Structure formats: C-alpha cells, structure tokens
Amino acid sequence: MKQAELLIIGGGPAGLCAAISAASSGASVLVAERNKNLGGQLVKQTHMFFGSEKQYASTRGIDITGILLHELNKYKENVEIMTDTTIVGMFEDGVVTALHKEDNYFKIKPNAVVVATGAFEKALAFPNNDLPGIYGAGAVQTLMNVYGVKPGNKVLMVGAGNIGLIVSYQLMQAGVQVVAILDAAPKIGGYLVHASKIRRMGVPILTSHTVKKAIGKEFLEKAIVCQVDDKFNQVEGTEMEFDVDVMCISVGLTPLNELLSMRGCQMKYVPQLSGMVPLRNDNYETSIENVFAAGDTTGVEEASAAMVEGYLAGLCAAAKIGHMTDDFEERKNDYVKQLESLRSGPVGKHILSGIEQIVIKGEQYV
Amino acid sequence: MFEKTGIPSEEMIMGKFPPIERINKGPVAVVECYKEIPCNPCETACRFNAITIGEDINNIPVLSKDNCTGCAICLSKCPGLAIMVIDGSKSDTTVQVKLPYEFLPLPTAGEIVKGLDREGRNLADVKVIQVQNPKSFDRTPVVTIEADRSIMYKIRNIRTEAK
Ligand SMILES: Cc1cc2nc3c(=O)[nH]c(=O)nc-3n(C[C@H](O)[C@H](O)[C@H](O)COP(=O)(O)OP(=O)(O)OC[C@H]3O[C@@H](n4cnc5c(N)ncnc54)[C@H](O)[C@@H]3O)c2cc1C
Ligand code: SF4
Ligand code: SF4
C-alpha cells in the first residue's frame, strides 16, 4: 500500500493547480494522471485563452501546462507525479486503487483526495453515426495538434459552442476545408469573437440545423442535414447535402464523475453544469469528508475557472489535513474573488445558477 | 442576426470605427468585440491606456481614440482576433489596415492577396505592405495591407494563394 498525504486525481489544469497550492502549503502531494502527459485538455489547445492575466489569458493553452509545471517544480520535494496511472476505484475505507501502465495494480491510502478528472464528450444520435470519419472534437484535436495528423479533407462541424468554433479554426489552420458549422440551437453558443473569426474565413454557421443522417459504405461520404423548429423537431423538406469525409461532433462535454459516485458522494443532475455533479461546500469538499473535487468534474466550465478552483481545493484540502498556512484566509479570498470576476458575465451567471444548487451551506470547518 | 450568423451588422461595425477625421490623422485601433465575455488582455496589453474594460472583466472594451497610437500591440494579444488598426494618413485614396493573420503561407511585403469581408467574400485584390511576426507576437503575425477607401469599412481578412 502506497502512503500519500494528499492524492490528486487528474493532471489537467485543475489538478496541477491543486497540487501547486497544496504543496506550497506544505502538504506532500501525489498526482496521478492516466495519460502519458500532464495538462489534460490543455495539451491540444493551440489557441490563445480568454480570462485575465492571473489565469494566463492571451497565452496559448499548450504553453500554460509548462507554466504550471514550472511553478509546481518549486515545491518538488513535496510532490510526486505518476503519469500513465489511472485511478480505477475509490472505496469506503479510504483506499484508492490505481493501475500503472497495463498490468501494475496497486493501492493508495491518502489522508485526503482532490478529484480533478475533467469531463468527457457527449455523443449525438443519428443514423450511421458509427461510420469511420465521424469523430468527436477531442479526437480531431488530438490527431491534429498532438500527433500532427490531418483527420481528413472536408469537414462538417456539428456544434457551434466554443469548442466547435475553435476546432473549426484549427482545422483551417491545418489546411483542412470546413464546409459549414451547424448547431441545433437558434443562437451561436460560443463566444461571438470566435464565430466572427471563422465566418470571415468564409465558413457559414447554420443555427437551427441538425444532422439527419450520415451516408457512406466503408466510410463517411455525405452528410444530410436539415432545419429544426423551435422545439428541435426536424423540418421536412429542408434537407441539404454536404460531400464530406469527416464529421466532427462537438455537442458539449459532461463531467467525468464515476469515482465520486463510486465513493458515495452525493450527486445531483444540474443542467447548467452539464451533468451529474457532486454536492460540495465552499471549500470544494464533497459530502464525504476529505474528498474534494475541482475543475470540469464539478461542472463543465473553462480552464480559467478550473485552475482557480484547483488552487482553492488544494489550499483547503491541505488545511484540512494539518497544513493551514498563515495567509490561508487571504489566499482563499483572492481565489473566491477571481472566480466571482470570471463568473460575473452572462455565461457566468448561468453557471452560478447551477452552482447555487450544489453548494451545501453551513458546513464550514475552518 | 449577429448571434445566429457571427456577422455583425453595418450599424454595429460603424459603431466601433473611430470618426474619419481621426482615421485620417494616423493609425488607430478598431475593437470589434461586441458581446460581454470574461476577457481583458487588450486592456492589459495597451501601454497607452487606450482600452478600458475596468473592474468587471466581462465589460465590453472601450477605446479612447485620443490615447490610441495605433501601435498594434493589442492585435496579437487578443484571443478573439477582434482588433485591427486602420490608418488613413498616408493617402487620400487608400487606407492601410493591419490585421492579425494566423494562417500559412504567410504573405510577404509587395505580394498581392485577396481582400475579404466579414463573410469571407472576395472584395478586391490588395497589396501587402508589411508582415510583422516578432517573438513577442507569440505566433499571431500582423499583416499590413493597402486597400481602396471604398472598401475601408468592409475589409476584415485576407487570403493568400497556396504556393
Ligand atoms: C477545444 C477546446 C477549447 C477550449 N478552449 C478554452 C479556452 O479558450 N479557455 C479556457 O479557459 N478553457 C478552454 N477549454 C476548456 C478547458 O480545456 C477545460 O475547462 C479544462 O481543461 C478543465 O480542466 P480540468 O483540469 O478540470 O480537466 P481536464 O483538462 O479534462 O483534465 C482532467 C485530467 O484528468 C485525467 N483523468 C481523468 N480520469 C482519470 C483517472 N481515473 N485517473 C487518472 N487521471 C484521470 C485526464 O486524463 C485529464 O488529464 C477548452 C476545451 C476544449 C475541449
Ligand atoms: S493599437 Fe496600441 S495604443 Fe491602440 S489600443 Fe492597441 S495597444 Fe493600445
Ligand atoms: S482581448 Fe479581444 S476578445 Fe478579449 S475583451 Fe479585448 S477585444 Fe475582446
């Protein structure tokens, strides 16, 4: 059995920031990441980020991981990082099971855990959606930006949220033609500055449209799309055909929460947070003592918010297991303020209305 | 419509352009950021206090046409690539426009490229005056083109021919 003071599950922006703030508080930290690389979603984000300076706005996502690792390295005597290590179970007695590489199972007994496992992509149901050439946006981005492989030549993007818009732009940067972006919603979901930047490359954005079916023998050859009415029903006679060899599905993410459910944390379905999320207090501690959560796993949002949540959860988890720092209140207030500032706009208000439903008040321990 | 198509209306566009007298005096930024988003690198990047967002980072950036020197630093810092610089002081018949451009192949000075509008439609052939791509721009090059005044409120993008 491996001992660890604080185990952080997931080495994305939330997990890395939790590690930084916990290690800087004096806790010894073990970070477990199932991939070979740290950074989570950041490793494929070649575009500049929004937010403010404190969350590295205007820096490209791919470069933020390096900045965070540099920061984490300052506390290296307190930090152990295990990549290629998937946490497969969290049990009632506090034991956590892990799988390193293919066949090396082992147990960990941490004093506290921060779950920062992120989110996974939603699928879209339509006839023949299993044809080769139909990918999730994450796969397309990984192929292009991590491995340098073009996913195809002509792409239909399904989903006009930020991810659909950004991946479309990156496809064009890679020299791939994007024939159109469609979205069933009546309005573009992503930031309009992103939408405008793609529109002026000549790519039409078709709102109130969906995929009717995919056509192809061995692989995708055509996509049939049609309009939807205000109740999202397909409208007969509005079909359009696109000759494409790739369809990229980008209809949103949903929190990756199996470990939290398995551990018995109270969960709730909150549409504003994109799925089942754990109830928690202001310190990001779930209904199970010493189990904390941060980042997209507590509600799909942005890396900027995920990082600040990570810092906050790491700080509070460290304090809970005996590493209370003198400047605890000051740091906590700073993080709370940053989150308030990020969430004060129209998108943030929507997120906040979701968060209100999961925060358990009056269970403060500090 | 903007929220359905991503194409701003003429009225919205004109609301972001400084008056023609200011454009004719020298380079000035046009900040086409129309909706509230949590973002403020343009404000942070400007050394001349020409862009104000304020305490709430969701506010829409406001340009001070008098403070702005048209230095173009903010162009490469804006993650939305929403800012361009326009300069009407060089000629009575043309303007020079600086645009952020993140595609390959990058054009070179003197080259003729396609000038595109906000829907990606071809407006006219335009001449490239300068291409800036220093390290500090962090992989967002800035291309200066010369365009006829008749398209100065329309041109917003370029396309280079694949070499
Ligand atoms: C195309 C795209 C563009 C985006 N653009 C922006 C942007 O411009 N600005 C912005 O702020 N945000 C952006 N985001 C959102 C941002 O990337 C996410 O919000 C952020 O990465 C969430 O961080 P996280 O740490 O919670 O999760 P993730 O980044 O998903 O990290 C979770 C990590 O946990 C690991 N993990 C999961 N399960 C286990 C397990 N059982 N054991 C071990 N490890 C596990 C995963 O491998 C992963 O590395 C974008 C996202 C996408 C997809
Ligand atoms: S062009 Fe220069 S002076 Fe004008 S707003 Fe941008 S950074 Fe400031
Ligand atoms: S940096 Fe660009 S996208 Fe961000 S607020 Fe400024 S103009 Fe808008």
Side-chain angles (χ1 to χ4, degrees), chain A residues 48-53 55 57-60 62-63 169 172-174 186-189 191-197 199-203 205-208 302 337 340-348, chain B residues 2-8 32-41 44 55-58 75-82 100 102-104 116-121 137-140 156-159:
Chain A
M48 293 184 267
F49 273 32
F50 293 92
S52 80
E53 218 169 16
Q55 302 99 33
S58 184
T59 304
R60 292 176 193 279
I62 37 172
D63 298 330
Y169 185 74
M172 288 187 273
Q173 286 183 310
K187 284 184 186 170
I188 295 167
Y191 294 155
L192 289 158
V193 280
H194 277 322
S196 298
K197 124 179 155 186
R199 194 62 195 80
R200 61 177 176 258
M201 299 297 297
V203 180
I205 301 174
L206 307 172
T207 43
S208 300
E302 297 241 285
K337 266 223 176 102
E340 278 172 4
S341 150
L342 285 170
R343 290 171 180 153
S344 64
V347 183
Chain B
F2 179 49
E3 288 171 334
K4 286 182 185 294
T5 60
I7 309 163
E32 279 192 80
C33 190
Y34 299 101
K35 287 280 140 126
E36 295 175 308
I37 51 174
C39 185
N40 72 356
T44 320
E55 185 71 23
D56 182 350
I57 67 165
N58 285 279
L75 266 60
S76 67
K77 290 288 177 200
C78 167
L81 306 187
E102 296 183 322
F103 289 84
L104 292 172
L116 310 180
D117 69 4
R118 288 174 179 76
E119 296 177 53
R121 290 179 305 206
F137 282 11
D138 189 21
R139 293 156 281 178
T140 302
R156 190 56 183 81
N157 195 13
I158 56 164
R159 181 160 53 225

Side-chain angles (χ1 to χ4, degrees), chain A residues 11-282:
Chain A
L16 290 178
C17 289
I20 292 168
S21 75
S24 70
S25 303
S28 47
V29 176
L30 171 65
V31 180
E33 165 57 52
R34 68 176 170 194
N35 286 334
K36 288 197 169 56
N37 300 316
L38 296 165
Q41 298 281 349
L42 295 178
V43 301
K44 10 178 216 185
Q45 312 310 345
T46 53
H47 61 286
M48 293 184 267
F49 273 32
F50 293 92
S52 80
E53 218 169 16
K54 276 195 172 160
Q55 302 99 33
Y56 315 108
S58 184
T59 304
R60 292 176 193 279
I62 37 172
D63 298 330
I64 294 177
T65 311
I67 296 174
L68 296 179
L69 289 177
H70 180 78
E71 188 61 29
L72 189 57
N73 197 39
K74 290 185 190 158
Y75 313 103
K76 60 174 182 275
E77 58 288 347
N78 281 349
V79 182
E80 184 183 352
I81 294 175
M82 294 190 78
T83 50
D84 236 328
T85 303
T86 307
I87 302 301
V88 288
M90 278 175 73
F91 299 94
E92 248 172 47
D93 55 2
V95 171
V96 171
T97 50
L99 170 63
H100 180 58
K101 297 207 166 134
E102 251 105 79
D103 48 12
N104 181 9
Y105 280 96
F106 63 97
K107 289 182 189 168
I108 309 169
K109 185 77 199 277
N111 299 350
V113 184
V114 177
V115 178
T117 45
F120 69 101
E121 283 180 289
K122 291 185 201 163
L124 188 65
F126 54 86
N128 297 330
N129 72 351
D130 57 348
L131 274 176
I134 304 177
Y135 297 86
V140 164
Q141 248 198 337
T142 306
L143 278 175
M144 270 194 312
N145 299 349
V146 182
Y147 299 111
V149 175
K150 262 166 81 165
N153 295 310
K154 282 174 94 177
V155 180
L156 177 69
M157 178 64 65
V158 183
N162 274 331
I163 297 180
L165 297 173
I166 288 167
V167 176
S168 297
Y169 185 74
Q170 294 175 351
L171 279 161
M172 288 187 273
Q173 286 183 310
V176 179
Q177 190 191 347
V178 179
V179 297
I181 302 174
L182 44 109
D183 202 306
K187 284 184 186 170
I188 295 167
Y191 294 155
L192 289 158
V193 280
H194 277 322
S196 298
K197 124 179 155 186
I198 290 145
R199 194 62 195 80
R200 61 177 176 258
M201 299 297 297
V203 180
I205 301 174
L206 307 172
T207 43
S208 300
H209 276 76
T210 193
V211 184
K212 188 162 180 155
K213 65 177 169 194
I215 295 177
K217 266 210 176 106
E218 307 277 318
F219 52 85
L220 179 69
E221 291 165 34
K222 261 188 215 316
I224 312 287
V225 313
C226 69
Q227 280 180 30
V228 294
D229 61 20
D230 48 13
K231 295 196 180 66
F232 297 100
N233 295 315
Q234 301 190 357
V235 182
E236 288 296 323
T238 59
E239 289 79 6
M240 279 193 282
E241 243 183 62
F242 290 102
D243 289 330
V244 287
D245 59 352
V246 175
M247 217 192 295
C248 182
I249 310 296
S250 170
V251 292
L253 301 169
T254 191
L256 190 59
N257 51 28
E258 283 84 355
L259 290 172
L260 292 164
S261 321
M262 181 177 189
R263 181 66 180 84
C265 299
Q266 278 184 52
M267 309 291 287
K268 186 171 177 182
Y269 180 79
V270 182
Q272 293 95 325
L273 302 175
S274 303
M276 292 289 285
V277 290
L279 299 186
R280 60 167 177 84
N281 66 17
D282 283 347

